[in-house]
Amino acid sequence: APVWSAPRRIWHGATLNKPLVLKDGDWLLPVSLWTRNKIGPAVLREEFRDLDEFRMPNVFASSDKGKTWERRGGVKVPDSDFDEHAMVELKDGRLWMLARTT
């Protein structure tokens, strides 16, 4: 029977796909922080300019089963629509990110 903790905020943005547990036990979480043109309502499009460099599909990682999280990076996707990225660990340990584009 699962036991759930209280919800808590990890970072800015939204998680639209499933987390991934790597072979080494680390957890990866896809977190999308949308570009300004996708923010609604329009009045919010001018807020939080300090986050502009992170407006992309981001990857967060936890090596303690979700107790703490750190941003490992992100990818600027050309012609992005709403990111919705996911990662896959390949047999050789490399990571493959898939993301929706226009």
Side-chain angles (χ1 to χ4, degrees), residues 8 10 27-29 60-62 64 66-71:
R8 66 185 171 92
I10 294 173
W27 294 4
L28 297 185
L29 183 66
F60 278 74
S62 175
D64 56 12
K67 291 178 187 162
T68 61
W69 293 91
E70 67 174 348
R71 183 179 179 271

Side-chain angles (χ1 to χ4, degrees), residues 32-34 56-57 77 80-85 98-101:
S32 294
L33 187 59
W34 294 338
M56 65 184 83
V77 177
S80 99
D81 196 9
F82 281 103
D83 305 337
E84 294 181 23
H85 59 301
L98 303 159
R100 185 171 85 161
T101 64

